[in-house]
Amino acid sequence: MQTLHAADLLIAVPGTDPVPDGAVVVDGGTVAALGPYEELTAAYPRARVRRWPGVLTPGLRQWHGKWLLKRAYHPDPREYEELGDRPLTGERLEALDMTDTRWAGSVRRGVQQMLRHGTTAVAIGSDPVVATTVARSGLTVVSPLGAPGILFEEPDLDPFRNAYGLADAVATPLTVGGRADLAVFDVPDEATLLERGAGTCVATVLAGRLVHRRR
């Protein structure tokens, strides 16, 4: 079944003119069409329509996946009262009694957090638990070599925090025939997206599958 994802602004390729009231038609796991909403609804009248607020972009790339999944602990919601809901690092991480089962749970939750931040591609190391969890999620694995991101502080789940701009953070531009990896952010424009970050993500689509939707 074809799905038409529409938003107030479409940025299919960073650096090109955005499309107001734009849309992406997804057929299976690939992009079937890109353009103005009205044109695509006329061309694909049977497509299921998902309307999102804000800016629709390609999915983001997380360069620091290895660090975030192996050097940070992502608490279980049942631990929020004791540990908080932010990743634990450094001395707070060292103070935890870490077992293989606890690490595996942290990795799964870390991957879910990445999806909630519009991430569709991630650089990881060779750890088998991380590799298996990422493979099961459907995230694309990329090499960490040549990462253009800039690291001012500890890596963050938000790919924009250590990038120069949208082009740096995007995994692959949206193109017809390409893989349907996209994200939508509840902001009015690109400048506000860079200012407020990927925490504004309301939807993430991974190879055509809606894997995150903010309720």
Side-chain angles (χ1 to χ4, degrees):
M1 181 177 182
Q2 294 173 332
T3 301
L4 188 151
H5 294 273
D8 302 324
L9 196 68
L10 166 65
I11 304 176
V13 181
T16 63
D17 291 336
V19 180
D21 199 18
V24 178
V25 176
V26 174
D27 190 350
T30 62
V31 175
L34 300 157
Y37 172 76
E38 289 189 0
E39 292 182 10
L40 294 189
T41 52
Y44 297 86
R46 295 187 178 181
R48 174 178 55 185
V49 175
R50 290 191 183 275
R51 186 84 200 192
W52 307 104
V55 179
L56 192 160
T57 75
L60 306 183
R61 174 176 46 204
Q62 175 56 258
W63 288 109
H64 307 293
K66 178 181 179 180
W67 195 101
L68 289 165
L69 297 177
K70 287 302 295 181
R71 295 180 60 186
Y73 176 72
H74 300 269
D76 186 288
R78 293 169 293 185
E79 301 174 305
Y80 284 177
E81 185 174 348
E82 176 188 0
L83 302 177
D85 61 357
R86 297 290 299 165
L88 275 62
T89 61
E91 293 181 356
R92 295 192 68 195
L93 174 59
E94 292 175 3
L96 294 179
D97 179 19
M98 297 304 300
T99 63
D100 290 344
T101 299
R102 198 173 193 183
W103 262 124
S106 173
V107 172
R108 289 193 298 272
R109 292 187 293 273
V111 167
Q112 288 300 316
Q113 287 294 335
M114 289 180 183
L115 294 174
R116 293 187 184 107
H117 285 76
T119 297
T120 58
V122 60
I124 60 174
S126 58
D127 181 88
V129 174
V130 172
T132 298
T133 303
V134 168
R136 287 175 177 170
S137 74
L139 285 165
T140 297
V141 175
V142 296
S143 171
L145 298 178
I150 49 178
L151 194 59
F152 294 121
E153 52 192 23
E154 287 187 353
D156 195 280
L157 284 164
D158 184 346
F160 292 118
R161 288 288 297 276
N162 294 303
Y164 289 105
L166 182 60
D168 250 2
V170 160
T172 306
L174 291 171
T175 57
V176 174
R179 179 166 146 139
D181 289 345
L182 55 94
V184 189
F185 304 91
D186 190 7
V187 294
D189 51 40
E190 181 177 346
T192 308
L193 172 57
L194 297 176
E195 177 185 350
R196 294 181 54 192
T200 59
C201 182
V202 294
T204 305
V205 174
L206 192 61
R209 296 182 296 117
L210 182 63
V211 293
H212 163 62
R213 178 178 186 175
R214 183 190 295 174
R215 290 178 171 80

